[in-house]
Amino acid sequence: MSTALITPATERIVPGAERKLSNRVSLGQTLANTRTMAYRGLVKIRRTPEQLIDVTVQPIIFTLMFAYIFGGAIAGDVQSYLPALIPGILVQTVVTTSVVTGTQLREDMDKGVFDRFRSLPIARIAPLSGALLADTLRYTIATTLTFAMGWIMGYHPAGGLGAVVLAGLLVIACSWAISWIFAFFGVIARTASSVQGISMLVLFPLTFLSNAYVPVDSLPGPLAWFASINPISHLVTAVRDLANDGTIGGDLWMSLVGAVVIVAVFAPLTVRAYMRKA
Amino acid sequence: MQRELAVEAVGLVKTFGDNRAVDGVDLAVPTGAVYGVLGPNGAGKTTTISMLATLLRPDAGSARVFGHDVAREPQIVRQLIGVTGQYASVDETLSATENLVIFGRLLGLTSRDAKRKAGELLESFGLTEAARRPLKNFSGGMRRRLDLAASLIAQPPLIFLDEPTTGLDPRTRAQMWDTIRQLVATGSTVLLTTQYLDEADQLADRIAVIDRGRVVAEGTADELKSSVGDSSLELRLADPADLDDARVAIERVLGVSSSISPEHVRVTAPMQDADRVTDLLLTLRQEGIRVDELSVRKPSLDEVFLAITGHGVPDAAPAEGSAELEGSRA
Protein backbone atom coordinates (compact mmCIF):
# COMPACT_ATOMS: atom_id res chain seq x y z
CA MET A 1 0.00 0.00 0.00
CA SER A 2 1.43 3.33 -0.89
CA THR A 3 1.10 6.41 1.23
CA ALA A 4 -0.01 9.36 -0.80
CA LEU A 5 0.43 12.99 0.00
CA ILE A 6 -1.55 13.94 3.06
CA THR A 7 -2.39 17.51 2.39
CA PRO A 8 -2.21 19.27 -0.93
CA ALA A 9 0.42 21.98 -0.90
CA THR A 10 -2.27 24.64 -1.24
CA GLU A 11 -3.79 23.66 2.08
CA ARG A 12 -0.91 24.94 4.11
CA ILE A 13 -1.38 24.81 7.84
CA VAL A 14 -2.16 28.14 9.40
CA PRO A 15 0.53 28.90 11.99
CA GLY A 16 -0.58 28.93 15.60
CA ALA A 17 0.27 32.57 16.12
CA GLU A 18 -1.94 33.71 13.23
CA ARG A 19 -5.13 32.07 14.45
CA LYS A 20 -7.95 33.95 16.14
CA LEU A 21 -9.00 31.87 19.11
CA SER A 22 -11.32 32.04 22.07
CA ASN A 23 -11.03 30.17 25.34
CA ARG A 24 -14.83 30.03 25.68
CA VAL A 25 -17.42 27.70 24.28
CA SER A 26 -20.60 29.42 23.17
CA LEU A 27 -24.05 28.07 23.95
CA GLY A 28 -24.59 27.50 20.24
CA GLN A 29 -21.48 25.36 20.03
CA THR A 30 -22.50 23.44 23.16
CA LEU A 31 -25.85 22.60 21.55
CA ALA A 32 -24.20 21.65 18.26
CA ASN A 33 -21.68 19.43 20.06
CA THR A 34 -24.48 17.82 22.06
CA ARG A 35 -26.38 17.10 18.88
CA THR A 36 -23.31 15.51 17.29
CA MET A 37 -22.69 13.36 20.35
CA ALA A 38 -26.33 12.27 20.31
CA TYR A 39 -25.93 11.44 16.63
CA ARG A 40 -22.92 9.34 17.60
CA GLY A 41 -25.10 7.47 20.10
CA LEU A 42 -27.65 6.74 17.36
CA VAL A 43 -24.99 5.53 14.92
CA LYS A 44 -23.68 3.23 17.61
CA ILE A 45 -27.16 1.81 18.10
CA ARG A 46 -27.39 1.19 14.37
CA ARG A 47 -24.03 -0.57 14.42
CA THR A 48 -24.85 -2.71 17.44
CA PRO A 49 -28.62 -3.20 17.33
CA GLU A 50 -28.39 -5.80 20.11
CA GLN A 51 -28.13 -2.80 22.45
CA LEU A 52 -31.82 -2.33 21.88
CA ILE A 53 -32.84 -5.74 23.20
CA ASP A 54 -33.91 -4.28 26.54
CA VAL A 55 -36.23 -1.73 24.94
CA THR A 56 -37.62 -4.09 22.28
CA VAL A 57 -37.87 -7.57 23.73
CA GLN A 58 -38.53 -6.61 27.32
CA PRO A 59 -41.78 -4.70 26.70
CA ILE A 60 -43.12 -7.58 24.61
CA ILE A 61 -42.12 -10.44 26.93
CA PHE A 62 -43.05 -8.63 30.14
CA THR A 63 -46.43 -7.55 28.84
CA LEU A 64 -47.26 -11.06 27.68
CA MET A 65 -45.96 -12.73 30.82
CA PHE A 66 -47.49 -10.47 33.41
CA ALA A 67 -50.82 -10.27 31.63
CA TYR A 68 -51.29 -14.02 31.44
CA ILE A 69 -49.71 -14.88 34.79
CA PHE A 70 -51.38 -12.27 37.00
CA GLY A 71 -54.40 -11.30 34.90
CA GLY A 72 -56.67 -14.03 36.19
CA ALA A 73 -55.58 -13.75 39.81
CA ILE A 74 -55.70 -9.98 40.14
CA ALA A 75 -58.47 -8.79 37.84
CA GLY A 76 -60.48 -11.95 37.09
CA ASP A 77 -59.31 -12.12 33.46
CA VAL A 78 -56.59 -10.80 31.19
CA GLN A 79 -58.77 -8.23 29.41
CA SER A 80 -59.79 -6.40 32.55
CA TYR A 81 -56.21 -6.47 33.87
CA LEU A 82 -54.73 -4.73 30.83
CA PRO A 83 -55.84 -1.14 31.61
CA ALA A 84 -54.06 -1.41 34.98
CA LEU A 85 -51.11 -3.47 33.75
CA ILE A 86 -50.01 -1.65 30.60
CA PRO A 87 -49.29 1.68 32.34
CA GLY A 88 -47.45 -0.25 35.07
CA ILE A 89 -45.32 -2.23 32.62
CA LEU A 90 -44.70 0.92 30.62
CA VAL A 91 -43.35 2.83 33.60
CA GLN A 92 -41.23 -0.07 34.82
CA THR A 93 -39.73 -0.84 31.42
CA VAL A 94 -38.89 2.71 30.48
CA VAL A 95 -37.53 3.64 33.89
CA THR A 96 -35.36 0.50 33.90
CA THR A 97 -34.07 1.44 30.46
CA SER A 98 -32.67 4.66 31.88
CA VAL A 99 -30.02 2.64 33.73
CA VAL A 100 -28.30 2.12 30.37
CA THR A 101 -27.42 5.83 30.33
CA GLY A 102 -25.18 5.24 33.33
CA THR A 103 -23.55 2.01 32.20
CA GLN A 104 -22.84 3.29 28.70
CA LEU A 105 -21.43 6.52 30.02
CA ARG A 106 -19.05 4.58 32.25
CA GLU A 107 -17.99 2.33 29.37
CA ASP A 108 -17.44 5.34 27.15
CA MET A 109 -15.36 7.17 29.73
CA ASP A 110 -13.10 4.13 30.07
CA LYS A 111 -12.35 4.03 26.36
CA GLY A 112 -9.57 5.70 24.41
CA VAL A 113 -12.04 7.69 22.36
CA PHE A 114 -12.99 9.64 25.45
CA ASP A 115 -9.43 10.95 25.62
CA ARG A 116 -9.83 12.24 22.12
CA PHE A 117 -13.05 14.02 23.01
CA ARG A 118 -11.25 15.62 25.91
CA SER A 119 -8.47 16.83 23.62
CA LEU A 120 -10.90 18.43 21.15
CA PRO A 121 -11.99 22.06 21.44
CA ILE A 122 -15.59 21.07 22.18
CA ALA A 123 -17.98 21.74 25.05
CA ARG A 124 -16.81 19.58 27.96
CA ILE A 125 -20.36 18.58 28.75
CA ALA A 126 -21.19 17.33 25.23
CA PRO A 127 -20.41 13.61 25.70
CA LEU A 128 -22.72 13.59 28.74
CA SER A 129 -25.50 15.74 27.33
CA GLY A 130 -25.33 13.91 24.00
CA ALA A 131 -25.74 10.55 25.71
CA LEU A 132 -28.74 11.81 27.69
CA LEU A 133 -30.32 13.17 24.53
CA ALA A 134 -29.74 10.00 22.49
CA ASP A 135 -31.31 7.87 25.19
CA THR A 136 -34.69 9.55 24.79
CA LEU A 137 -34.91 7.52 21.57
CA ARG A 138 -34.65 4.33 23.60
CA TYR A 139 -37.48 5.49 25.86
CA THR A 140 -39.60 6.32 22.83
CA ILE A 141 -39.05 2.86 21.36
CA ALA A 142 -39.93 1.13 24.64
CA THR A 143 -43.03 3.31 25.10
CA THR A 144 -44.30 2.72 21.58
CA LEU A 145 -43.74 -1.03 21.76
CA THR A 146 -45.48 -1.39 25.11
CA PHE A 147 -48.58 0.44 23.93
CA ALA A 148 -48.49 -1.48 20.64
CA MET A 149 -48.23 -4.80 22.47
CA GLY A 150 -51.14 -3.82 24.69
CA TRP A 151 -53.17 -2.86 21.62
CA ILE A 152 -52.54 -6.25 20.03
CA MET A 153 -53.62 -8.00 23.22
CA GLY A 154 -56.83 -6.02 23.26
CA TYR A 155 -56.05 -2.92 25.32
CA HIS A 156 -57.86 0.01 23.78
CA PRO A 157 -57.26 3.05 25.99
CA ALA A 158 -60.46 4.97 26.53
CA GLY A 159 -58.62 8.27 26.78
CA GLY A 160 -57.94 8.32 23.05
CA LEU A 161 -54.79 8.69 21.00
CA GLY A 162 -53.96 12.22 22.16
CA ALA A 163 -54.07 11.19 25.81
CA VAL A 164 -51.96 8.11 25.13
CA VAL A 165 -49.30 10.20 23.37
CA LEU A 166 -49.33 12.61 26.29
CA ALA A 167 -48.97 9.71 28.73
CA GLY A 168 -46.06 8.40 26.68
CA LEU A 169 -44.35 11.79 26.75
CA LEU A 170 -44.85 11.98 30.50
CA VAL A 171 -43.13 8.63 30.99
CA ILE A 172 -40.28 9.61 28.65
CA ALA A 173 -39.78 12.92 30.47
CA CYS A 174 -39.76 11.30 33.90
CA SER A 175 -37.38 8.53 32.77
CA TRP A 176 -35.07 11.14 31.32
CA ALA A 177 -35.07 12.87 34.71
CA ILE A 178 -34.37 9.57 36.46
CA SER A 179 -31.53 8.81 34.02
CA TRP A 180 -29.62 11.69 35.62
CA ILE A 181 -29.41 9.57 38.77
CA PHE A 182 -27.84 6.72 36.83
CA ALA A 183 -25.65 9.09 34.86
CA PHE A 184 -24.32 10.21 38.25
CA PHE A 185 -23.58 6.60 39.23
CA GLY A 186 -21.99 6.19 35.80
CA VAL A 187 -19.63 9.08 36.39
CA ILE A 188 -18.55 8.16 39.91
CA ALA A 189 -18.53 4.33 39.68
CA ARG A 190 -15.44 2.42 38.77
CA THR A 191 -16.89 -0.13 36.37
CA ALA A 192 -19.95 -0.42 34.18
CA SER A 193 -21.08 -3.58 35.97
CA SER A 194 -21.04 -1.85 39.33
CA VAL A 195 -23.26 0.88 37.85
CA GLN A 196 -25.63 -1.85 36.71
CA GLY A 197 -25.53 -3.47 40.15
CA ILE A 198 -26.20 -0.32 42.17
CA SER A 199 -28.90 0.83 39.80
CA MET A 200 -30.80 -2.45 39.91
CA LEU A 201 -30.60 -2.44 43.68
CA VAL A 202 -32.38 0.92 43.65
CA LEU A 203 -34.80 0.15 40.85
CA PHE A 204 -36.14 -3.24 41.83
CA PRO A 205 -37.74 -2.22 45.11
CA LEU A 206 -38.82 1.09 43.61
CA THR A 207 -40.64 -0.41 40.64
CA PHE A 208 -42.08 -3.52 42.30
CA LEU A 209 -43.08 -1.93 45.62
CA SER A 210 -45.57 0.24 43.79
CA ASN A 211 -49.03 0.02 42.30
CA ALA A 212 -47.57 -1.01 38.92
CA TYR A 213 -48.79 -4.62 39.06
CA VAL A 214 -51.14 -4.94 42.03
CA PRO A 215 -53.60 -2.67 43.82
CA VAL A 216 -51.94 -0.96 46.76
CA ASP A 217 -54.66 -2.07 49.21
CA SER A 218 -53.73 -5.71 48.59
CA LEU A 219 -50.32 -5.08 50.19
CA PRO A 220 -49.53 -5.51 53.93
CA GLY A 221 -49.39 -2.29 55.99
CA PRO A 222 -45.79 -1.02 55.70
CA LEU A 223 -45.55 -2.01 52.04
CA ALA A 224 -48.85 -0.32 51.25
CA TRP A 225 -47.58 2.83 52.94
CA PHE A 226 -44.36 2.74 50.91
CA ALA A 227 -46.20 1.98 47.68
CA SER A 228 -48.52 4.92 48.22
CA ILE A 229 -45.69 7.42 48.66
CA ASN A 230 -43.50 5.80 46.00
CA PRO A 231 -43.02 8.28 43.13
CA ILE A 232 -43.27 5.39 40.68
CA SER A 233 -46.85 4.79 41.91
CA HIS A 234 -47.75 8.39 41.21
CA LEU A 235 -46.32 8.14 37.73
CA VAL A 236 -48.21 4.89 37.08
CA THR A 237 -51.46 6.45 38.35
CA ALA A 238 -50.89 9.53 36.21
CA VAL A 239 -50.43 7.34 33.12
CA ARG A 240 -53.56 5.31 33.98
CA ASP A 241 -55.62 8.49 34.45
CA LEU A 242 -54.45 9.86 31.14
CA ALA A 243 -54.65 6.73 29.02
CA ASN A 244 -57.79 5.18 30.51
CA ASP A 245 -59.87 8.28 31.32
CA GLY A 246 -58.15 11.10 29.47
CA THR A 247 -57.93 13.07 32.74
CA ILE A 248 -55.06 14.99 34.22
CA GLY A 249 -54.95 14.50 37.97
CA GLY A 250 -52.79 15.48 40.88
CA ASP A 251 -50.53 12.49 40.25
CA LEU A 252 -49.37 13.95 36.96
CA TRP A 253 -48.30 17.16 38.60
CA MET A 254 -46.63 15.28 41.43
CA SER A 255 -44.73 13.17 38.89
CA LEU A 256 -43.58 16.25 37.03
CA VAL A 257 -42.53 17.99 40.23
CA GLY A 258 -40.66 14.83 41.25
CA ALA A 259 -38.89 14.79 37.88
CA VAL A 260 -37.90 18.43 38.24
CA VAL A 261 -36.59 17.80 41.75
CA ILE A 262 -34.49 14.85 40.58
CA VAL A 263 -32.98 16.90 37.77
CA ALA A 264 -32.41 19.84 40.10
CA VAL A 265 -30.50 17.62 42.52
CA PHE A 266 -28.69 15.21 40.24
CA ALA A 267 -27.90 17.36 37.22
CA PRO A 268 -25.54 19.65 39.19
CA LEU A 269 -24.06 16.67 41.07
CA THR A 270 -23.47 14.73 37.88
CA VAL A 271 -22.11 17.67 35.95
CA ARG A 272 -19.74 18.60 38.76
CA ALA A 273 -18.42 15.04 39.14
CA TYR A 274 -18.22 14.71 35.38
CA MET A 275 -16.34 17.95 34.81
CA ARG A 276 -13.79 16.93 37.38
CA LYS A 277 -12.99 13.90 35.22
CA ALA A 278 -13.58 15.41 31.79
CA MET B 1 17.95 32.94 15.27
CA GLN B 2 15.27 32.47 17.90
CA ARG B 3 12.12 31.06 16.35
CA GLU B 4 8.74 31.03 17.97
CA LEU B 5 8.33 28.09 20.30
CA ALA B 6 5.48 25.66 19.65
CA VAL B 7 5.82 24.17 23.10
CA GLU B 8 7.52 25.67 26.11
CA ALA B 9 7.35 23.67 29.31
CA VAL B 10 9.02 24.71 32.52
CA GLY B 11 9.38 22.42 35.53
CA LEU B 12 6.38 20.21 34.80
CA VAL B 13 5.56 17.88 37.66
CA LYS B 14 2.90 15.19 37.95
CA THR B 15 2.66 12.75 40.82
CA PHE B 16 0.39 9.74 41.10
CA GLY B 17 0.31 8.76 44.76
CA ASP B 18 3.94 8.66 45.78
CA ASN B 19 5.17 8.04 42.24
CA ARG B 20 6.62 11.18 40.68
CA ALA B 21 5.77 10.23 37.10
CA VAL B 22 7.01 13.54 35.76
CA ASP B 23 9.53 15.28 37.95
CA GLY B 24 10.42 18.69 36.60
CA VAL B 25 10.42 18.42 32.82
CA ASP B 26 11.58 21.39 30.74
CA LEU B 27 10.96 21.36 27.01
CA ALA B 28 11.43 23.94 24.28
CA VAL B 29 10.05 22.78 20.95
CA PRO B 30 10.72 25.11 18.01
CA THR B 31 7.92 25.67 15.49
CA GLY B 32 8.09 23.58 12.35
CA ALA B 33 10.30 20.86 13.74
CA VAL B 34 9.89 17.23 14.67
CA TYR B 35 10.80 16.98 18.30
CA GLY B 36 11.41 13.54 19.74
CA VAL B 37 10.96 12.59 23.36
CA LEU B 38 12.93 9.42 23.84
CA GLY B 39 12.71 7.18 26.85
CA PRO B 40 11.77 3.73 28.13
CA ASN B 41 8.32 2.76 29.30
CA GLY B 42 7.41 4.43 32.55
CA ALA B 43 9.83 7.31 31.98
CA GLY B 44 6.96 9.82 31.99
CA LYS B 45 6.58 10.43 28.25
CA THR B 46 2.84 9.84 28.05
CA THR B 47 2.19 11.78 31.23
CA THR B 48 4.15 14.72 29.85
CA ILE B 49 2.17 14.68 26.60
CA SER B 50 -1.09 14.39 28.52
CA MET B 51 -0.25 17.56 30.41
CA LEU B 52 0.76 19.42 27.26
CA ALA B 53 -2.46 18.27 25.56
CA THR B 54 -4.62 19.51 28.49
CA LEU B 55 -5.68 15.96 29.41
CA LEU B 56 -3.94 16.13 32.77
CA ARG B 57 -3.40 19.08 35.05
CA PRO B 58 0.23 19.62 36.05
CA ASP B 59 0.85 19.51 39.80
CA ALA B 60 3.58 22.09 39.39
CA GLY B 61 5.30 23.99 36.63
CA SER B 62 3.72 25.48 33.56
CA ALA B 63 3.49 24.85 29.86
CA ARG B 64 2.60 27.01 26.89
CA VAL B 65 1.49 25.97 23.44
CA PHE B 66 2.15 28.75 20.93
CA GLY B 67 2.21 31.09 23.89
CA HIS B 68 -1.10 29.90 25.40
CA ASP B 69 -0.97 28.49 28.90
CA VAL B 70 -2.31 24.92 29.01
CA ALA B 71 -3.90 25.38 32.43
CA ARG B 72 -5.41 28.84 31.95
CA GLU B 73 -6.43 28.65 28.30
CA PRO B 74 -7.07 24.96 27.72
CA GLN B 75 -9.81 25.55 25.18
CA ILE B 76 -7.47 27.62 23.02
CA VAL B 77 -4.72 25.03 23.31
CA ARG B 78 -7.16 22.34 22.18
CA GLN B 79 -7.81 24.33 19.02
CA LEU B 80 -4.10 24.26 18.22
CA ILE B 81 -3.28 20.61 18.79
CA GLY B 82 -4.02 17.16 17.47
CA VAL B 83 -3.38 14.20 19.75
CA THR B 84 -2.70 10.67 18.64
CA GLY B 85 -2.43 8.46 21.68
CA GLN B 86 -0.57 5.29 22.32
CA TYR B 87 -3.79 3.36 22.02
CA ALA B 88 -6.04 4.24 19.13
CA SER B 89 -8.57 6.73 20.41
CA VAL B 90 -11.37 6.01 18.00
CA ASP B 91 -14.74 4.34 18.38
CA GLU B 92 -14.41 0.59 17.94
CA THR B 93 -18.05 0.02 17.08
CA LEU B 94 -18.16 2.63 14.34
CA SER B 95 -16.69 2.59 10.85
CA ALA B 96 -13.69 4.67 9.87
CA THR B 97 -15.85 7.15 7.97
CA GLU B 98 -18.34 7.49 10.83
CA ASN B 99 -15.52 8.16 13.26
CA LEU B 100 -14.00 10.89 11.12
CA VAL B 101 -17.36 12.48 10.30
CA ILE B 102 -18.28 12.68 13.99
CA PHE B 103 -14.93 14.24 14.89
CA GLY B 104 -15.31 16.66 11.97
CA ARG B 105 -18.81 17.65 13.08
CA LEU B 106 -17.54 18.18 16.63
CA LEU B 107 -14.86 20.45 15.22
CA GLY B 108 -17.51 22.62 13.61
CA LEU B 109 -17.51 21.33 10.03
CA THR B 110 -20.85 21.12 8.27
CA SER B 111 -22.17 17.66 7.54
CA ARG B 112 -21.05 17.94 3.92
CA ASP B 113 -17.60 19.29 4.73
CA ALA B 114 -17.11 16.62 7.40
CA LYS B 115 -17.92 13.87 4.88
CA ARG B 116 -15.63 15.41 2.25
CA LYS B 117 -12.79 15.79 4.74
CA ALA B 118 -13.26 12.22 5.98
CA GLY B 119 -13.09 10.97 2.38
CA GLU B 120 -9.93 12.95 1.69
CA LEU B 121 -8.16 11.78 4.81
CA LEU B 122 -9.12 8.15 4.32
CA GLU B 123 -7.81 8.30 0.78
CA SER B 124 -4.51 9.86 1.74
CA PHE B 125 -4.03 7.28 4.48
CA GLY B 126 -4.89 4.36 2.19
CA LEU B 127 -8.00 3.44 4.13
CA THR B 128 -10.67 4.05 1.51
CA GLU B 129 -11.38 0.36 0.94
CA ALA B 130 -11.90 -0.27 4.63
CA ALA B 131 -13.84 2.97 5.21
CA ARG B 132 -17.19 1.31 5.80
CA ARG B 133 -16.07 -1.62 7.90
CA PRO B 134 -16.29 -1.46 11.69
CA LEU B 135 -12.90 -0.96 13.29
CA LYS B 136 -13.05 -4.32 15.05
CA ASN B 137 -11.60 -5.85 11.89
CA PHE B 138 -8.81 -3.28 11.50
CA SER B 139 -5.17 -4.22 11.88
CA GLY B 140 -2.99 -2.35 14.35
CA GLY B 141 -1.40 -0.30 11.56
CA MET B 142 -4.77 0.67 10.08
CA ARG B 143 -6.01 1.79 13.48
CA ARG B 144 -2.95 3.96 14.01
CA ARG B 145 -3.38 5.53 10.60
CA LEU B 146 -7.03 6.24 11.26
CA ASP B 147 -6.13 7.66 14.64
CA LEU B 148 -3.60 9.96 13.05
CA ALA B 149 -6.11 10.94 10.37
CA ALA B 150 -8.57 11.89 13.11
CA SER B 151 -5.96 14.20 14.61
CA LEU B 152 -5.51 16.01 11.32
CA ILE B 153 -9.12 17.00 10.60
CA ALA B 154 -8.73 20.49 11.98
CA GLN B 155 -5.23 20.82 10.51
CA PRO B 156 -3.71 21.70 13.85
CA PRO B 157 -0.33 23.43 13.78
CA LEU B 158 0.94 21.14 16.56
CA ILE B 159 0.55 17.37 16.60
CA PHE B 160 1.35 15.10 19.52
CA LEU B 161 2.19 11.55 18.57
CA ASP B 162 2.53 9.25 21.54
CA GLU B 163 4.59 6.25 20.47
CA PRO B 164 3.14 6.24 16.96
CA THR B 165 4.88 3.02 15.88
CA THR B 166 5.03 0.90 19.03
CA GLY B 167 3.85 -2.56 18.13
CA LEU B 168 3.83 -1.97 14.38
CA ASP B 169 5.66 -4.21 11.92
CA PRO B 170 8.71 -2.70 10.17
CA ARG B 171 6.91 -1.97 6.90
CA THR B 172 3.98 -0.22 8.57
CA ARG B 173 6.46 1.65 10.71
CA ALA B 174 8.26 2.96 7.64
CA GLN B 175 4.90 4.11 6.21
CA MET B 176 4.13 5.92 9.45
CA TRP B 177 7.52 7.63 9.25
CA ASP B 178 6.76 8.84 5.72
CA THR B 179 3.44 10.17 6.90
CA ILE B 180 5.06 12.08 9.73
CA ARG B 181 7.65 13.61 7.39
CA GLN B 182 4.88 14.79 5.08
CA LEU B 183 3.09 16.38 8.00
CA VAL B 184 6.09 18.50 8.76
CA ALA B 185 6.37 19.44 5.10
CA THR B 186 2.93 21.05 5.32
CA GLY B 187 4.03 23.27 8.19
CA SER B 188 3.00 21.29 11.26
CA THR B 189 5.11 20.94 14.33
CA VAL B 190 5.28 17.37 15.57
CA LEU B 191 6.12 16.27 19.08
CA LEU B 192 6.54 12.52 19.17
CA THR B 193 7.49 10.14 21.91
CA THR B 194 9.29 6.92 21.22
CA GLN B 195 11.18 4.12 22.88
CA TYR B 196 13.29 3.60 19.80
CA LEU B 197 16.52 5.43 19.18
CA ASP B 198 16.41 4.71 15.45
CA GLU B 199 12.94 6.25 15.22
CA ALA B 200 14.05 9.43 16.93
CA ASP B 201 17.14 9.34 14.74
CA GLN B 202 15.10 8.98 11.54
CA LEU B 203 12.53 11.63 12.29
CA ALA B 204 13.44 14.09 14.97
CA ASP B 205 15.35 17.33 14.48
CA ARG B 206 15.91 17.50 18.19
CA ILE B 207 15.60 14.85 20.87
CA ALA B 208 15.01 15.04 24.58
CA VAL B 209 15.99 11.91 26.47
CA ILE B 210 13.70 11.41 29.42
CA ASP B 211 14.24 9.07 32.32
CA ARG B 212 12.39 8.69 35.61
CA GLY B 213 10.39 11.82 34.93
CA ARG B 214 13.35 14.04 34.07
CA VAL B 215 14.99 15.26 30.90
CA VAL B 216 18.50 13.83 31.15
CA ALA B 217 19.84 14.96 27.79
CA GLU B 218 18.73 17.20 24.96
CA GLY B 219 20.13 17.90 21.54
CA THR B 220 20.19 16.81 17.93
CA ALA B 221 20.45 13.13 17.12
CA ASP B 222 24.10 13.59 16.20
CA GLU B 223 24.92 15.30 19.45
CA LEU B 224 23.30 12.52 21.43
CA LYS B 225 24.98 9.81 19.47
CA SER B 226 28.39 11.34 19.83
CA SER B 227 27.91 11.04 23.57
CA VAL B 228 27.63 7.28 23.18
CA GLY B 229 29.82 6.82 20.13
CA ASP B 230 28.87 5.94 16.59
CA SER B 231 29.02 2.30 17.39
CA SER B 232 29.24 0.10 20.37
CA LEU B 233 31.77 -2.54 21.25
CA GLU B 234 30.85 -5.60 23.24
CA LEU B 235 33.43 -8.04 24.57
CA ARG B 236 32.93 -11.32 26.34
CA LEU B 237 36.07 -12.59 28.00
CA ALA B 238 37.13 -16.18 28.39
CA ASP B 239 38.22 -15.47 31.96
CA PRO B 240 36.14 -12.98 33.97
CA ALA B 241 39.21 -12.32 36.12
CA ASP B 242 40.60 -10.32 33.20
CA LEU B 243 37.70 -7.86 33.28
CA ASP B 244 39.58 -5.05 34.93
CA ASP B 245 42.65 -5.46 32.72
CA ALA B 246 40.42 -5.39 29.66
CA ARG B 247 38.80 -2.16 30.81
CA VAL B 248 42.18 -0.55 31.31
CA ALA B 249 43.19 -1.61 27.80
CA ILE B 250 40.01 -0.16 26.33
CA GLU B 251 40.57 3.09 28.15
CA ARG B 252 44.11 3.29 26.80
CA VAL B 253 43.44 2.30 23.20
CA LEU B 254 40.03 3.81 22.54
CA GLY B 255 40.18 6.60 25.07
CA VAL B 256 36.71 5.87 26.44
CA SER B 257 35.47 4.40 29.66
CA SER B 258 33.68 1.09 29.44
CA SER B 259 31.03 -0.51 31.56
CA ILE B 260 30.51 -4.03 32.82
CA SER B 261 27.30 -5.96 32.25
CA PRO B 262 25.26 -6.77 35.35
CA GLU B 263 26.22 -10.46 35.19
CA HIS B 264 29.95 -9.52 35.10
CA VAL B 265 30.87 -11.33 31.93
CA ARG B 266 30.64 -8.66 29.25
CA VAL B 267 32.29 -5.29 28.75
CA THR B 268 30.63 -2.66 26.59
CA ALA B 269 32.18 0.55 25.36
CA PRO B 270 31.19 3.34 22.96
CA MET B 271 33.31 3.72 19.83
CA GLN B 272 33.70 6.63 17.45
CA ASP B 273 35.50 4.58 14.84
CA ALA B 274 34.76 0.89 14.42
CA ASP B 275 38.06 0.49 12.63
CA ARG B 276 40.02 0.99 15.85
CA VAL B 277 38.80 -2.36 17.12
CA THR B 278 41.84 -3.88 15.37
CA ASP B 279 44.16 -1.90 17.61
CA LEU B 280 42.27 -3.03 20.65
CA LEU B 281 42.41 -6.69 19.68
CA LEU B 282 46.17 -6.47 19.16
CA THR B 283 46.57 -4.92 22.59
CA LEU B 284 44.43 -7.59 24.20
CA ARG B 285 46.49 -10.31 22.53
CA GLN B 286 49.73 -8.68 23.76
CA GLU B 287 48.37 -8.58 27.31
CA GLY B 288 47.24 -12.17 27.14
CA ILE B 289 43.55 -11.41 27.61
CA ARG B 290 41.54 -14.06 25.78
CA VAL B 291 38.33 -13.05 24.08
CA ASP B 292 35.36 -15.38 23.84
CA GLU B 293 33.06 -13.20 21.77
CA LEU B 294 33.26 -9.77 20.22
CA SER B 295 30.78 -7.57 18.41
CA VAL B 296 30.69 -4.04 17.08
CA ARG B 297 27.27 -2.58 16.36
CA LYS B 298 25.18 0.58 16.35
CA PRO B 299 24.44 1.94 19.83
CA SER B 300 21.10 0.86 21.21
CA LEU B 301 18.78 2.86 23.39
CA ASP B 302 20.17 0.80 26.22
CA GLU B 303 23.61 2.27 25.65
CA VAL B 304 22.39 5.80 25.20
CA PHE B 305 20.79 5.33 28.57
CA LEU B 306 23.78 3.73 30.11
CA ALA B 307 25.96 6.55 28.87
CA ILE B 308 23.63 9.37 29.84
CA THR B 309 22.07 8.15 33.06
CA GLY B 310 24.62 5.70 34.30
CA HIS B 311 21.99 2.97 34.54
CA GLY B 312 20.36 0.74 31.96
CA VAL B 313 16.81 0.73 30.73
CA PRO B 314 14.78 -0.09 33.85
CA ASP B 315 13.48 -3.61 34.24
CA ALA B 316 9.97 -2.24 33.82
CA ALA B 317 10.68 -1.97 30.10
CA PRO B 318 8.37 -4.39 28.32
CA ALA B 319 9.32 -7.40 26.26
CA GLU B 320 8.47 -5.30 23.22
CA GLY B 321 11.24 -2.86 24.04
CA SER B 322 13.86 -5.51 24.53
CA ALA B 323 12.78 -7.23 21.33
CA GLU B 324 13.51 -3.99 19.57
CA LEU B 325 16.94 -3.78 21.16
CA GLU B 326 17.63 -7.28 19.90
CA GLY B 327 16.40 -6.24 16.48
CA SER B 328 18.78 -3.33 16.27
CA ARG B 329 21.77 -5.59 16.79
CA ALA B 330 22.42 -5.79 13.10
Side-chain angles (χ1 to χ4, degrees), chain A residues 132-144:
Chain A
L132 284 160
L133 183 60
D135 281 335
T136 54
L137 175 78
R138 308 167 59 82
Y139 310 149
T140 310
I141 293 174
T143 304
T144 312

Side-chain angles (χ1 to χ4, degrees), chain A residues 19-104:
Chain A
R19 298 187 179 209
K20 277 211 165 59
L21 304 165
S22 158
N23 200 31
R24 283 169 187 257
V25 179
S26 67
L27 183 64
Q29 196 199 338
T30 306
L31 293 176
N33 291 161
T34 300
R35 225 172 36 232
T36 306
M37 294 306 287
Y39 166 74
R40 167 175 172 264
L42 301 189
V43 176
K44 280 179 93 157
I45 289 176
R46 210 175 60 208
R47 283 277 169 186
T48 45
E50 60 269 25
Q51 275 187 53
L52 288 182
I53 280 186
D54 62 334
V55 294
T56 49
V57 178
Q58 193 180 324
I60 296 170
I61 303 271
F62 270 36
T63 311
L64 274 173
M65 254 174 38
F66 281 94
Y68 289 105
I69 293 174
F70 296 135
I74 293 170
D77 62 84
V78 172
Q79 286 309 312
S80 29
Y81 185 40
L82 285 177
L85 173 71
I86 298 295
I89 293 257
L90 175 69
V91 169
Q92 198 212 8
T93 305
V94 181
V95 168
T96 309
T97 300
S98 65
V99 171
V100 176
T101 307
T103 53
Q104 285 195 342

Side-chain angles (χ1 to χ4, degrees), chain A residues 199-217:
Chain A
S199 306
M200 282 308 167
L201 216 60
V202 174
L203 268 185
F204 255 75
L206 215 55
T207 49
F208 279 99
L209 295 182
S210 71
N211 64 357
Y213 299 107
V214 294
V216 171
D217 50 28

